[in-house]
Amino acid sequence: MTDRTAAARVIAHIDMDAFYASVEVLDDPSLRGRPVIVGGASRRGVVSAASYEARAFGVRSAMPVFEARRRCPGGVFLPGRMSRYRDISRLVMGILCDFSPLVEQVSIDEAYVDLTGTERLHGPPRTTALLVKRRIGAETGLTCSVGVSTCKLVAKIASDINKPDGLTIVAPEEVAAFLAALPIGKVPGIGEKSGAQLAAAGIRTLGDAGRFGRDALESRFGALGRRLARIADGGEDSPVTPVTPPKSVSGEVTLEEDTTDTAEIRRLLLRQAERVGRRLRRQGLAGRTVVLKLRHADFRLVTRSVTLDRPTRITRTIYREAIRLHDAYDSREPIRLVGVGVTNLARAGGGQLDFFDGDGDGDEGRWERAERAMDEIVERFGDGAVGPGTLAGDRRREDDPS
């Protein structure tokens, strides 16, 4: 990106390399060079992240653990430590905010940064991207890959080209040729099935999509065709939007063995309600709708929800409503996954939500203060340091959907 193209937007996509696995190696250097697979402590679960050594065996995120073990029997399978990953994620996002006020975090390990107009502060895009990488490396001990271009889509694709620890810049005058040559499977959102359908129509690159024509694409592929036509014309021009509050907060656990034991399911519901309540309080949020999620042994998913008169972030209330939903469902079929969530969220502690401050003398206020005190102990001594007695000794692997 040269001075003659300075009027173009400058968008960077920062993607941490094999984030969860890299954190585990950072904290335990004896794992360096070994195939590390995170999220794989339960044979019923799926892989959350895999080191590049594990990827060489064909292990990928979202792969069933049994398949990962088949492909990589010598792998190091770890359950994952979400609180640790979140701590480092917050550090990374703070670094990015030092380079621009426009930072859009899209997951725990990736974000877009609008660097337009920051040249006087940090230098040209390549210099700025290198500064970002160096600061992240110096302050976290981890590497990231960065893509820089004129829009979010091209920046994201570029960040994936030279992983790990890569930097790829697609200048404005290079965007058209870059997109035209791009294999269709590299377009975010194009999966194996849709990719095969496009290939069957002779569309193997974005250039093929452009030659296919907008009307023909839309007629044959509907919304997917419309999106491909927009991308083939030069990318998607959505702005970098600073993060907004989440739409939901939830927690779930995949069981080692299917169960019909009501007492066991209640214990798991309590554990998930505790996790959700703690996250809501940490993020200053509360929600009016409690959601129960159950997956049966045949993988059939069932959800039930109830909307309260006023928002809550109290574990006791979330658990009580989850139990009511479970009891009303009254199924005797085996369960393989249990989850609890809260949606319909609002910021706590302002205006009509002042009662969330927990300073009142009522039952809600007392529970709020008690749970905040437990939160402080957990923050200081780690998960499991304090909590309901029924959870003592619980070491079950837990998923982390939000």
Side-chain angles (χ1 to χ4, degrees):
M1 294 183 178
T2 62
D3 290 341
R4 67 186 178 86
T5 57
R9 287 200 307 162
V10 181
I11 308 299
H13 180 258
I14 289 83
D15 193 3
M16 302 300 294
D17 297 320
F19 183 50
Y20 295 176
S22 296
V23 173
E24 297 299 335
V25 174
L26 177 70
D27 291 349
D28 183 0
S30 70
L31 298 176
R32 191 172 306 280
R34 302 176 66 186
V36 176
I37 300 160
V38 176
S42 166
R43 63 183 177 82
R44 299 291 296 275
V46 297
V47 174
S48 297
S51 68
Y52 288 94
E53 292 83 358
R55 295 180 193 186
F57 290 87
V59 178
R60 296 289 184 270
S61 61
M63 175 182 288
V65 168
F66 70 83
E67 176 65 17
R69 290 185 182 278
R70 185 187 70 80
R71 295 192 182 200
C72 188
V76 180
F77 288 79
L78 301 173
R81 300 174 295 151
M82 287 309 303
S83 61
R84 172 65 169 150
Y85 307 148
R86 288 195 192 95
D87 287 344
I88 295 184
S89 175
R90 283 192 288 268
L91 179 57
V92 170
M93 298 306 154
I95 292 170
L96 299 182
C97 288
D98 286 344
F99 287 88
S100 171
L102 297 177
V103 175
E104 180 180 344
Q105 182 177 357
V106 292
S107 71
I108 194 171
D109 62 347
E110 63 177 318
Y112 294 103
V113 183
D114 191 335
L115 296 173
T116 308
T118 65
E119 288 85 353
R120 291 185 179 180
L121 290 173
H122 310 300
R126 180 176 294 277
T127 299
T128 304
L130 288 171
L131 287 172
V132 169
K133 288 170 60 64
R134 288 169 188 158
R135 272 202 59 189
I136 289 176
E139 296 185 32
T140 71
L142 302 175
T143 65
C144 66
S145 293
V146 179
V148 182
S149 193
T150 59
C151 68
K152 289 161 65 174
L153 177 86
V154 178
K156 180 176 176 63
I157 296 169
S159 70
D160 195 47
I161 290 178
N162 292 311
K163 275 185 163 291
D165 199 19
L167 170 59
T168 302
I169 295 180
V170 182
E173 66 272 16
E174 300 169 342
V175 169
F178 176 84
L179 290 175
L182 188 72
I184 205 70
K186 294 290 187 180
V187 177
I190 301 295
E192 184 176 342
K193 183 177 179 180
S194 56
Q197 292 173 341
L198 291 164
I203 301 174
R204 293 179 172 81
T205 66
L206 270 178
D208 294 334
R211 289 185 289 273
F212 205 80
R214 179 180 297 272
D215 292 342
L217 282 171
E218 183 172 354
S219 175
R220 184 155 181 176
F221 299 105
L224 173 61
R226 288 194 299 274
R227 179 167 180 258
L228 281 177
R230 289 196 302 272
I231 295 172
D233 283 344
E236 295 178 309
D237 197 33
S238 60
V240 173
T241 305
V243 66
T244 57
K247 295 181 179 180
S248 66
V249 173
S250 61
E252 62 189 41
V253 58
T254 301
L255 283 63
E256 294 283 354
E257 302 289 344
D258 301 338
T259 186
T260 58
D261 186 341
T262 299
E264 171 73 353
I265 293 173
R266 283 173 171 259
R267 189 184 67 82
L268 295 172
L269 288 173
L270 175 57
R271 177 58 173 156
Q272 302 316 307
E274 183 187 43
R275 296 175 68 207
V276 170
R278 184 174 299 135
R279 289 180 189 170
L280 288 169
R281 293 187 294 273
R282 182 188 301 143
Q283 297 177 46
L285 298 171
R288 291 187 59 202
T289 302
V290 177
V291 180
L292 168 71
K293 178 179 179 181
L294 300 172
R295 190 180 295 279
H296 287 288
D298 60 2
F299 288 87
R300 180 167 48 90
L301 179 65
V302 174
T303 60
R304 296 290 187 270
S305 64
V306 60
T307 298
L308 311 177
D309 291 335
R310 66 180 189 176
T312 188
R313 59 181 178 181
I314 297 175
T315 295
R316 175 173 175 265
T317 302
I318 297 167
Y319 173 63
R320 180 189 66 211
E321 298 303 326
I323 287 295
R324 288 177 178 173
L325 291 168
H326 172 263
D327 292 349
Y329 178 51
D330 193 28
S331 173
R332 300 294 188 268
E333 299 177 46
I335 298 295
R336 64 174 282 120
L337 178 147
V338 174
V340 175
V342 173
T343 66
N344 200 2
L345 302 181
R347 284 289 174 193
Q352 64 189 37
L353 301 181
D354 279 344
F355 59 83
F356 287 125
D357 290 340
D359 295 328
D361 295 327
D363 191 47
E364 293 282 300
R366 287 193 294 272
W367 276 103
E368 171 88 5
R369 291 193 296 275
E371 291 180 2
R372 280 184 175 180
M374 288 190 288
D375 293 344
E376 291 178 3
I377 295 174
V378 169
E379 288 291 332
R380 182 174 180 182
F381 297 105
D383 195 24
V386 66
T390 54
L391 300 180
D394 186 22
R395 294 296 183 268
R396 188 177 305 270
R397 186 188 73 82
E398 300 189 2
D399 307 317
D400 192 66
S402 66

